Amino acid sequence: MDCLFCKIINKEIPTDFIYEDEKVVAFKDISPQAPVHILIIPKDHIPSNDDITHENSAIVGHVFVLAKNLAKEYGLEEGYRIVNNCKEHGGQSVNHIHFHVLGGRQMLWPPG
Ligand code: 5GP
Ligand code: ZN
């Protein structure tokens, strides 16, 4: 399958993982939008949040616990933002579900 994140997960594209377990990988975004910008990616090829069901949704809880743990590891005691961009209007550019963890600066609201 021609999926960038599947290639990263399968190590076809070399990437330094900051975390890996049987369900997810995490690595730094290539184009960071904040001093800390981590991507957490389920290993299963789920295209977007539109493909989350009650059958596969446990992965989302797993991601959020890991986001909290990585935020602590990266010194984000003052807070952070978890982002999932879904499909075109959500601003999704890679069609394999992923979660951004952003921190190290004041986040703004509303987002663009
Ligand atoms: P999206 O825009 O789909 O929510 O997020 C995709 C993210 O993946 C973007 O923030 C982009 O910078 C990041 N990204 C795209 N290609 C690569 C890559 O090859 N390596 C890494 N580390 N990040 C990537
Ligand atoms: Zn994929």
Side-chain angles (χ1 to χ4, degrees):
M1 195 194 303
D2 196 28
C3 169
L4 174 68
F5 286 169
C6 281
K7 286 179 181 162
I8 288 177
I9 291 160
N10 296 331
K11 303 186 167 76
E12 289 169 54
I13 297 173
T15 301
D16 288 331
F17 294 159
I18 61 171
Y19 179 87
E20 180 176 13
D21 64 24
E22 72 281 4
K23 298 190 184 99
V24 299
V25 298
F27 50 87
K28 293 190 177 167
D29 197 290
I30 203 168
S31 176
Q33 302 302 310
V36 176
H37 187 170
I38 294 165
L39 296 175
I40 303 177
I41 306 190
K43 287 185 171 177
D44 283 345
H45 181 85
I46 298 168
S48 81
N49 191 66
D50 243 19
D51 302 291
I52 292 291
T53 65
H54 286 298
E55 283 67 46
N56 67 12
S57 64
I59 192 65
V60 180
H62 187 71
V63 165
F64 271 63
V65 174
L66 177 60
K68 178 199 73 172
N69 291 343
L70 290 175
K72 188 173 175 99
E73 188 177 329
Y74 281 82
L76 305 182
E77 284 83 7
E78 291 176 78
Y80 52 93
R81 183 171 289 175
I82 302 170
V83 173
N84 169 252
N85 295 324
C86 180
K87 298 169 76 177
E88 189 174 351
H89 275 191
Q92 184 175 4
S93 63
V94 179
N95 294 324
H96 179 134
I97 195 169
H98 51 281
F99 298 82
H100 302 254
V101 180
L102 298 143
R105 67 168 170 83
Q106 179 63 54
M107 295 298 151
L108 305 175
W109 195 263

